[in-house]
Amino acid sequence: MKITSARVIVCCPGRNFVTLKIETDQGLTGLGDATLNGRELAVVSYLNDHVIPCLIGRDAHRIEDTWQYLYRGAYWRRGPVTMCAIAAVDTALWDLKAKAAGLPLYQLLGGASRDRVLAYTHANGRDITHTVEEVHRQRELGYVAIRAQSGVPGLDKVYGVATGPQPYEPADADLPSEHSWSTEKYLRHVPQLFDAVRSAVGPDVHLLHDVHHLLTPIEAAQLAKDLEPFRLFWLEDPTPAENQEGFRLIRQHSTTPLAVGEVFNTVWDCKTLIENQWIDYIRTAIVHAGGITHLRRIADLAALYQVRTGCHGATDMSPITLGTSLHFDLWVPNCGIQEHMRHTEETDAVFPHAYRFEDGYMHPGETPGHGVEIDEALAARYPYRRAYLPVNRLQHDGTLWHW
Ligand code: CS2
Ligand code: MG
């Protein structure tokens, strides 16, 4: 099965998505997600200018060889732009192989290890009362695992919490908006939030929280310790992880489970964290870490140390990543949970998909391939719009804070 063409499709049905479409001489097409939130066009150029010319004429079945060719052949290894581009090719090739076999992708990976995939969603509120209401609302939709975030008294905006009635969207402005940050206020507030949420939902609902890399290791250790009575499923990105050793310090002080990895792009970003058992969940996404071919290497390393997966699933993971992730989750022996932030109706219409949500769990469906397609005519009606993630500055003196 020879690759005859490859094209990049950029669209913005509510938010930007970059999609790679590969066509073959057998008439089959494969799709891969290449969306890198806030830096989309860098990946478009990487694909168009440097990757696509090398793909034409290659055997679409040689997924591993193509992965190594793009990773090693570039000489310049790793990095989010490179690994997103490789992920798009890899995902499209797995889609093609599964379509050629007439099987849903999870069957090619080794078949289902479970009947369905546990999913968590977000409850975001202006304040504690509003967040508790949002948690109840998500419970009514069927979720049994919920991430709770809330506005903090004295801070105008907090990442992960919408300012109006519309759902929160990570990339929110034509130029980066600025949020002010106070570690002291946040550290005082979050234990009160979880005290209220835990008493409202009882012991059986899984509760999660995302710190978005905003604390130093010792501050993160304080928070993890203060949250112990509320038995979190996980505390996410408590501190930036470029310095993997920072997590040792948090571990020394707390038994709250830790999750990290949505910004990682290769196994090298988490090798030390995993081998030292400083984390419990690895959150790396298919789109950001070189596709299925590389993510399964990360998951296999993690399995040796009883670290489980918790794939990133915010709205900037396109339906193609979500669908592919669900095939991965259904198979991977050490799956923990999958993040599920619902896409807009416009996005769902552009990307018709076989995956479904029911009673707190998800399933990728039985359609051959990863089960997600793109309606190109509809996509063309939503042109690219520049959008950025916000930055944080310390409230008291304007210092640019961790991001
Ligand atoms: C978040 C995301 O879903 C999450 O856990 O951290 O909102 C993340 O910040 C965005 O996906 C960044 O693009
Ligand atoms: Mg996160």
Side-chain angles (χ1 to χ4, degrees), residues 65-218:
D65 185 58
T66 302
W67 195 97
Q68 301 295 343
Y69 175 78
L70 294 175
Y71 181 83
R72 299 179 192 209
Y75 186 74
W76 311 105
R77 297 181 183 200
R78 308 164 63 189
V81 174
T82 299
M83 298 311 288
C84 260
I86 295 178
V89 175
D90 188 75
T91 304
L93 294 184
W94 277 103
D95 189 28
L96 277 166
K97 194 185 274 295
K99 282 173 174 162
L103 291 170
L105 181 43
Y106 73 84
Q107 295 290 12
L108 263 59
L109 298 173
S113 299
R114 54 196 58 79
D115 301 331
R116 52 189 189 159
V117 176
L118 177 64
Y120 77 91
T121 197
H122 300 188
N124 311 312
R126 286 181 302 279
D127 51 27
I128 292 179
T129 312
H130 186 210
T131 305
V132 170
E133 279 165 27
E134 286 296 303
V135 170
H136 285 308
R137 202 167 64 80
Q138 300 301 346
R139 287 283 296 126
E140 279 157 25
L141 291 172
Y143 289 96
V144 293
I146 300 171
R147 185 187 101 169
Q149 311 285 134
S150 138
V152 176
L155 296 182
D156 287 348
K157 291 184 194 163
V158 173
Y159 187 73
V161 178
T163 41
Q166 77 291 353
Y168 131 78
E169 172 52 55
D172 64 356
D174 179 50
L175 282 174
S177 56
E178 300 210 351
H179 295 184
S180 73
W181 179 253
S182 160
T183 300
E184 296 76 12
K185 292 186 169 103
Y186 174 76
L187 287 180
R188 272 200 303 273
H189 184 69
V190 180
Q192 295 169 28
L193 169 69
F194 279 91
D195 193 4
V197 174
R198 181 54 84 200
S199 345
V201 297
D204 292 333
V205 178
H206 299 305
L207 295 177
L208 301 82
H209 183 69
D210 192 346
V211 182
H212 293 111
H213 332 261
L214 284 159
L215 299 174
T216 65
I218 195 67

Side-chain angles (χ1 to χ4, degrees), residues 142-335:
Y143 289 96
V144 293
I146 300 171
R147 185 187 101 169
Q149 311 285 134
S150 138
V152 176
L155 296 182
D156 287 348
K157 291 184 194 163
V158 173
Y159 187 73
V161 178
T163 41
Q166 77 291 353
Y168 131 78
E169 172 52 55
D172 64 356
D174 179 50
L175 282 174
S177 56
E178 300 210 351
H179 295 184
S180 73
W181 179 253
S182 160
T183 300
E184 296 76 12
K185 292 186 169 103
Y186 174 76
L187 287 180
R188 272 200 303 273
H189 184 69
V190 180
Q192 295 169 28
L193 169 69
F194 279 91
D195 193 4
V197 174
R198 181 54 84 200
S199 345
V201 297
D204 292 333
V205 178
H206 299 305
L207 295 177
L208 301 82
H209 183 69
D210 192 346
V211 182
H212 293 111
H213 332 261
L214 284 159
L215 299 174
T216 65
I218 195 67
E219 292 161 355
Q222 281 170 28
L223 180 64
K225 196 170 163 184
D226 288 350
L227 291 175
E228 276 175 8
F230 313 115
R231 290 283 186 270
L232 263 57
F233 185 95
W234 80 33
L235 183 67
E236 173 183 342
D237 287 342
T239 194
E242 287 98 323
N243 169 22
Q244 298 185 29
E245 299 276 333
F247 280 73
R248 181 210 302 267
L249 200 138
I250 308 174
R251 266 299 205 235
Q252 282 167 347
H253 295 282
S254 169
T255 55
T256 294
L258 302 175
V260 74
E262 68 182 38
V263 301
F264 295 172
N265 45 73
T266 70
V267 70
W268 299 101
D269 295 324
C270 46
K271 184 172 176 288
T272 307
L273 286 168
I274 290 173
E275 287 175 347
N276 286 289
Q277 302 180 63
W278 290 334
I279 58 169
D280 303 281
Y281 295 91
I282 180 72
R283 285 190 33 74
T284 312
I286 282 172
V287 59
H288 297 136
I292 289 178
T293 298
H294 194 64
L295 196 64
R296 69 178 182 179
R297 303 233 147 88
I298 295 177
D300 282 345
L301 174 69
L304 300 181
Y305 300 92
Q306 289 160 294
V307 172
R308 291 191 284 162
T309 65
C311 287
H312 190 196
T315 44
D316 47 306
M317 310 312 101
S318 95
I320 295 173
T321 286
L322 181 57
T324 310
S325 214
L326 287 165
H327 285 274
F328 184 81
D329 298 335
L330 199 68
W331 156 72
V332 72
N334 48 328
C335 176

